[in-house]
Amino acid sequence: MHTTTEALITQSDRPTRRNAPRPRSRRLNSSVLFVVPALVIVGGIIYLGVGYNLWVSALDWDGISEAEFVGLDNYAQVLSEPVFWQSIVNVLIFGVATVVIQMILGLLMAIVLSGPVIGRSVYKVIMFLPVVLAPAAVATAFRQIFSPDGAFNAFLASIGLDGIASAWIADPKTALWVIIVANIWQWTGFSFILYQAAITQIDHDQLEAAQLDGAGRLRTIRSIIVPQLKGTHITLAITGVIGAFKTFDLVWLITGGGPGRSTEFLTTYIYKEAIQQFHTGYASALSIVLLVIAVIFTAIQMRVFRFGKD
Amino acid sequence: MHTTMKRRMLAVPVAALAAATLALTGCGSTDGGSGSGDGGTTTVTWWSWNPDQATAKPYIEAFEKEHPDIKIEHRFIQYSDYASTVQLGVQSGSGPDVFGTQVGALTTQFAPLAEDLAPVFEEELGGDWADLITASEQLTVDGKLVGAPWMITGGGIVWANQTIIDELGLTMPTNRDELVDFCAAVQASGRDCITQGAKDAWQNIDVFQVIANQIEPGAFYEAIDGETPFDSDTFVESFAQWKSLFDDGIFQDGALGMTAYPDASDSFRKGEAVLMINGTWENSNTTNARMKDFTEIYGEASGASIYMPYQVPALVDGADTDFLFGGPDVGFAVSASSKVKDAANTFVMWLTASEAGQNIMADRVQQPSLRSVSLNMDDVITDEQRAALESQAPLLADLIGARQIQSADVQTSLGDALSAVASGQMTPEEAAASVQKAIDAAG
């Protein structure tokens, strides 16, 4: 037997008929005009840039003087470099930690603030504010906070935990987590906003029906709200992972990839190789590898989520 | 249908607007582009990490007074961002006319982007120009003088806040045991002992050179060039000594997360740390003019302190500590893509080969490259400081080695090794081996 809730859900899934579609030819003309500017950017700048990068990755070049064609040598070198694998590990840890924690925290706050809370709109602004801050400002602030005489250690001392106070950024075991914390602080607001918008789209009738069926708050969240936010989950997971691969400023400004190379990310590694060590060809190969990895991850995720939808 | 027509008519102007916006963003502002100004004045753009905004002003004012038809547009870039900014600027054609360059990778890599200044010097100073200036060979790449040496500096000095030391009733340590006791007393007063910007490879490499030169004078330079092995006992011991500076708390907590400029130097100038290993480029710390700047930036206490340069205490028993390593810390190059080369050359010659320009540096007690100009001690505050600066002269005239490493890869490898050893990720043996590997690869 269907519960009221299930009946309502299946009903809303059925597509509704709207106006009949316009004749194809007329639709195509105006559509093309709208697409042309975006095509100019994407084709002209991005794809051309990627193509040039691909070419340079086959060269032994310092960016200034004569270049020498070396084929796949740079790629072979990439795969044999321990720093490369270290940076992959760092990005993966960073990616998983930040995406998962940001999604959980964002969802929690969105659920809490979807209820009757005094000063709700103020909290929403506060939640989203870090997202619009410049990463440079965030990085500087967190460097201060986690410095040996910074706010975090002072806080630990105030609650009697000064035994574990340490130089968080200078310790290879904890430096990555400082970067992760900074990223979570800055980007949870983004997850929050997306979840918040999606929650408002949930059919109130379903929630009422669930109440009628005797579901408690937690059961409602688990069985109705969270599954209905699937689209947002997917969006956040995909953009989160891509964002993790692209993260540069926080890493560069907080630890510079150090101590040693313990917090090296692919992006900082590329920067050092290209700009500081003048290995333009090798850095281009790294960039192509980064691109390939990002595309593979995205493809995997889209596959997984599409199967999940069935 | 009415709505469709309207939509289509809107489509055209909207698409056109979008495309136009793109085009406008495409031709954005050129940063630092040069050219002749109006009214017959030529504008020369000048980028440097040294001098900074405050220090550049007297040079610009004096030069523009002497050459009213040339205007200087200066841009200060922090050292950590300098190489990348200049490289992108010069290569994209929107870069500076005159830019600072330093011995080592910065010069060797930028050589194709700079004009050969040898003929300019010959015209200015005559055929024997190379004898009239110091260490121009350190800025020469394949026979091309890439940069005109401007300031000669030596590394291997520890700057001390003498005021605080005297206040605490301490004396400057001369060996390791004294240093350990000294640091204990300083830390008991709530301050850091030696503040080190260990996030910056260059400062770590400086300290490493001090240690290596104390253990075996001059060996570092032969090993870096590949003439002798780097994975030898001398350097393994140097790495071990380096690590002990962290383990024994001589360097401040969290040093690996701090940059030399501004973090460590700010801490030193504010009196939060008593010592900082640096070089003669900080010599102006002994002048009243600089103390005025400090007061403005850091407060009264900072500007009222007496800063003394000392040789780094002997970290190894019986070490000879009387040496300086260095060369032209700053030189100025003229961009090969500059549109105002004549004016740029005039400016560079004024800065580096004229008594007028070099005297301004001498007034700030920095060692000028032009041999005929000597330090002007008039603005130095105390006699002790004067004596200390005078004792630098023979060491600068006879440097134990070139401070900068020519190969960017070797430099990176040494920097990484030092950071890894300090944070316990590499043993001294592994570190020495990794640097040797880089030296071998650089050929």
Side-chain angles (χ1 to χ4, degrees):
Chain A
M1 207 180 84
H2 275 218
T3 62
T4 330
T5 324
E6 284 173 13
L8 266 171
I9 293 177
T10 41
Q11 204 178 44
S12 62
D13 272 356
R14 225 180 296 145
T16 50
R17 296 238 83 193
R18 300 213 188 269
N19 301 328
R22 284 188 297 155
R24 242 187 140 221
S25 54
R26 255 192 264 170
R27 213 175 31 173
L28 214 55
N29 280 340
S30 56
S31 314
V32 166
L33 284 173
F34 277 109
V35 160
V36 159
L39 220 67
V40 167
I41 306 177
V42 176
I45 298 175
I46 297 180
Y47 281 111
L48 216 69
V50 171
Y52 181 67
N53 226 9
L54 197 58
W55 162 242
V56 173
S57 72
L59 304 174
D60 179 12
W61 191 37
D62 65 358
I64 301 176
S65 40
E66 292 247 348
E68 189 196 321
F69 184 79
V70 289
L72 293 173
D73 279 1
N74 286 331
Y75 292 96
Q77 199 187 340
V78 169
L79 295 176
S80 66
E81 265 295 335
V83 180
F84 169 71
W85 295 108
Q86 174 71 45
S87 61
I88 295 280
V89 167
N90 288 339
V91 174
L92 285 178
I93 296 175
F94 175 83
V96 170
T98 52
V99 170
V100 168
I101 297 176
Q102 277 163 208
M103 280 169 69
I104 293 175
L105 286 179
L107 179 58
L108 234 63
M109 284 307 291
I111 291 174
V112 164
L113 290 180
S114 66
V117 176
I118 305 170
R120 204 165 60 165
S121 26
V122 175
Y123 290 127
K124 287 181 186 172
V125 171
I126 293 175
M127 276 298 293
F128 193 66
L129 216 53
V131 176
V132 303
L133 291 177
V138 175
T140 313
F142 273 85
R143 267 189 60 205
Q144 265 306 308
I145 293 173
F146 282 94
S147 65
D149 51 356
F152 187 64
N153 282 341
F155 166 71
L156 288 177
S158 71
I159 58 173
L161 281 177
D162 46 348
I164 62 168
S166 114
W168 305 98
I169 301 177
D171 186 344
K173 295 193 279 292
T174 55
L176 186 58
W177 288 97
V178 174
I179 300 172
I180 289 173
V181 166
N183 198 77
I184 291 173
W185 183 85
Q186 180 164 32
W187 290 102
T188 299
F190 181 70
S191 307
F192 162 75
I193 279 289
L194 289 192
Y195 278 128
Q196 201 244 339
I199 284 178
T200 58
Q201 296 299 313
I202 295 180
D203 199 350
H204 275 264
D205 294 343
Q206 291 177 17
L207 297 171
E208 277 176 23
Q211 246 189 333
L212 283 173
D213 284 340
R217 192 106 165 95
L218 276 173
R219 185 74 207 279
T220 316
I221 293 173
R222 192 162 37 104
S223 305
I224 307 223
I225 298 182
V226 171
Q228 295 236 341
L229 296 175
K230 195 159 214 150
T232 314
H233 297 326
I234 294 170
T235 307
L236 285 173
I238 293 181
T239 55
V241 167
I242 294 177
F245 276 110
K246 283 165 58 180
T247 301
F248 173 81
D249 21 37
L250 274 183
V251 185
W252 187 257
L253 293 171
I254 295 181
T255 61
R261 300 278 212 169
S262 55
T263 59
E264 196 79 73
F265 276 41
L266 264 176
T267 44
T268 54
Y269 184 35
I270 292 171
Y271 181 85
K272 286 179 184 173
E273 288 290 329
I275 305 294
Q276 292 182 346
Q277 291 175 253
F278 301 93
H279 294 157
T280 309
Y282 179 70
S284 298
L286 279 171
S287 318
I288 298 292
V289 170
L290 172 58
L291 176 65
V292 166
I293 293 177
V295 167
I296 290 176
F297 265 88
T298 309
I300 292 176
Q301 285 182 93
M302 293 182 77
R303 254 306 144 98
V304 165
F305 292 128
R306 198 175 303 140
F307 277 133
K309 243 183 174 160
D310 301 329
Chain B
M1 295 247 334
H2 185 68
T3 33
T4 326
M5 272 273 284
K6 229 163 113 188
R7 250 187 254 160
R8 244 197 323 157
M9 285 174 66
L10 264 180
V12 177
V14 166
L17 184 65
T21 321
L22 275 178
L24 280 173
T25 51
C27 46
S29 53
T30 44
D31 199 11
S34 62
S36 358
D38 37 358
T41 49
T42 321
T43 307
V44 171
T45 48
W46 178 30
W47 291 6
S48 67
W49 77 88
N50 183 355
D52 58 26
Q53 293 108 322
T55 349
K57 267 213 306 248
Y59 292 98
I60 298 176
E61 281 169 10
F63 176 77
E64 286 181 349
K65 207 155 151 220
E66 243 182 79
H67 295 89
D69 56 336
I70 303 179
K71 192 170 156 315
I72 304 296
E73 221 176 76
H74 177 245
R75 177 181 169 190
F76 163 70
I77 303 168
Q78 193 73 263
Y79 184 72
S80 45
D81 305 319
Y82 181 79
S84 49
T85 316
V86 171
Q87 183 189 3
L88 292 171
V90 175
Q91 276 188 291
S92 69
S94 62
D97 300 304
V98 174
F99 59 93
T101 181
Q102 190 176 49
V103 180
L106 208 55
T107 297
T108 36
Q109 298 295 344
F110 280 27
L113 302 172
E115 285 285 300
D116 186 0
L117 290 174
V120 185
F121 263 105
E122 203 172 315
E123 210 188 296
E124 180 83 10
L125 295 177
D128 58 345
W129 60 270
D131 298 323
L132 299 173
I133 60 178
T134 316
S136 60
E137 72 281 355
Q138 284 194 29
L139 288 174
T140 304
V141 179
D142 294 333
K144 178 184 187 185
L145 183 61
V146 174
W150 181 61
M151 183 166 87
I152 307 298
T153 56
I157 289 190
V158 59
W159 282 92
N161 189 323
Q162 193 65 48
T163 308
I164 298 182
I165 293 179
D166 293 340
E167 250 173 48
L168 295 174
L170 300 167
T171 49
M172 188 64 193
T174 55
N175 60 47
R176 203 172 201 288
D177 292 330
E178 287 175 18
L179 180 61
V180 170
D181 293 336
F182 178 88
C183 285
V186 167
Q187 280 152 1
S189 78
R191 297 180 176 87
D192 290 328
C193 191
I194 303 184
T195 180
Q196 174 78 359
K199 191 168 171 243
D200 281 340
W202 70 263
Q203 198 182 23
N204 296 343
I205 294 176
D206 271 2
V207 175
F208 186 76
Q209 283 184 64
V210 171
I211 300 172
N213 283 322
Q214 281 187 359
I215 295 177
E216 195 184 327
F220 177 80
Y221 309 98
E222 291 164 6
I224 283 290
D225 278 342
E227 291 165 28
T228 55
F230 201 91
D231 48 1
S232 64
D233 289 338
T234 301
F235 301 107
V236 171
E237 200 195 325
S238 304
F239 277 114
Q241 279 290 336
W242 160 255
K243 185 168 196 321
S244 72
L245 292 172
F246 288 84
D247 295 341
D248 297 348
I250 294 176
F251 283 160
Q252 83 281 25
D253 255 346
L256 285 164
M258 288 172 69
T259 59
Y261 294 98
D263 296 336
S265 81
D266 275 357
S267 162
F268 175 68
R269 290 168 185 174
K270 283 194 273 194
E272 290 164 7
V274 163
L275 300 175
M276 185 171 174
I277 297 179
N278 225 318
T280 63
W281 55 88
E282 290 277 327
N283 273 355
S284 55
N285 289 349
T286 58
T287 61
N288 284 306
R290 192 69 168 151
M291 289 304 100
K292 241 173 85 199
D293 293 338
F294 278 11
T295 309
E296 246 180 71
I297 305 171
Y298 303 104
E300 288 255 4
S302 173
S305 296
I306 300 295
Y307 299 98
M308 277 288 289
Y310 288 102
Q311 297 300 114
V312 179
L315 298 169
V316 197
D317 284 332
D320 176 15
T321 61
D322 271 335
F323 58 78
L324 289 176
F325 44 88
D329 190 38
V330 186
F332 291 114
V334 172
S335 165
S337 58
S338 166
K339 297 181 193 67
V340 288
K341 287 207 183 108
D342 284 335
N345 284 339
T346 309
F347 183 51
V348 170
M349 283 302 106
W350 184 89
L351 279 174
T352 64
S354 77
E355 304 243 325
Q358 293 271 282
N359 265 323
I360 298 182
M361 192 193 310
D363 287 343
R364 294 206 148 224
V365 279
Q366 304 281 23
Q367 188 68 36
S369 142
L370 194 59
R371 289 189 195 270
S372 57
V373 179
S374 49
L375 292 186
N376 176 1
M377 306 270 197
D378 287 348
D379 199 26
V380 176
I381 307 172
T382 69
D383 288 331
E384 289 88 1
Q385 286 172 326
R386 222 161 270 139
L389 292 176
E390 272 160 15
S391 70
Q392 285 174 5
L395 301 177
L396 282 170
D398 188 21
L399 296 162
I400 195 175
R403 183 170 155 251
Q404 299 293 344
I405 300 175
Q406 293 283 349
S407 158
D409 289 337
V410 173
Q411 186 176 356
T412 305
S413 149
L414 180 55
D416 286 348
L418 288 167
S419 180
V421 167
S423 54
Q425 297 175 75
M426 255 195 207
T427 64
E429 289 80 12
E430 288 168 348
S434 75
V435 178
Q436 182 64 54
K437 207 165 135 213
I439 294 173
D440 293 336

